[in-house]
Amino acid sequence: VQLQESGPGLVKPSQTLSLTCAVSGDSITTNNYCWSWIRQPPGKGLEWIGHIASSGINVYNPSLQSRASISRDTSNNQFSLHLSSVTPEDTAVYYCARLSRTWTHDYWGQGTQVTVSS
């Protein structure tokens, strides 16, 4: 299973950050798997943003729920993150990952740096 993030590396404050994760080697509609977005700000630990289940149901981190949206494109086997009203505190390396049936993230993308700055 391989995951690859893509999207702009620089976003201006108050704009929407949009990233896409292309998945190969598995289908994002496979039963009992979920597909997550996770980030790591500089000097801090990993923060789970949310995931989309194989059924299409979303679950979000309550701290980001008002600004985060995860969608999917099943025809292209990819899923996306949209984070609105960004501030410099949203600067981080953003990862996509597969959440396994044992509730561990077993496959990860390489990560993509996003900087929020004017």
Side-chain angles (χ1 to χ4, degrees), residues 38-41 44-48 93 95 108:
I38 298 160
R39 69 181 184 180
Q40 185 168 28
K44 298 184 179 180
L46 293 169
E47 179 181 34
W48 171 74
V93 177
Y95 299 92
W108 293 69

Side-chain angles (χ1 to χ4, degrees):
V1 180
Q2 292 187 321
L3 298 91
Q4 179 66 58
E5 305 92 347
S6 63
L10 180 64
V11 182
K12 295 185 185 303
S14 81
Q15 292 187 341
T16 296
L17 178 163
S18 295
L19 297 172
T20 296
C21 181
V23 178
S24 60
D26 193 8
S27 169
I28 61 173
T29 59
T30 300
N31 286 341
N32 298 323
Y33 286 107
C34 298
W35 302 88
S36 293
W37 285 100
I38 298 160
R39 69 181 184 180
Q40 185 168 28
K44 298 184 179 180
L46 293 169
E47 179 181 34
W48 171 74
I49 299 170
H51 67 240
I52 185 165
S54 56
S55 62
I57 294 174
N58 295 113
V59 181
Y60 297 104
N61 185 326
S63 68
L64 294 167
Q65 185 168 5
S66 64
R67 299 193 294 127
S69 176
I70 297 175
S71 60
R72 66 181 184 175
D73 178 356
T74 56
S75 62
N76 288 307
N77 207 41
Q78 60 189 27
F79 63 106
S80 298
L81 169 69
H82 303 282
L83 187 66
S84 64
S85 304
V86 297
T87 71
E89 285 66 42
D90 294 308
T91 294
V93 177
Y94 285 76
Y95 299 92
C96 57
R98 190 181 79 169
L99 182 62
S100 75
R101 296 165 181 155
T102 58
W103 296 101
T104 58
H105 288 101
D106 56 357
Y107 290 97
W108 293 69
Q110 65 183 21
T112 187
Q113 172 70 46
V114 178
T115 301
V116 179
S117 175
S118 55

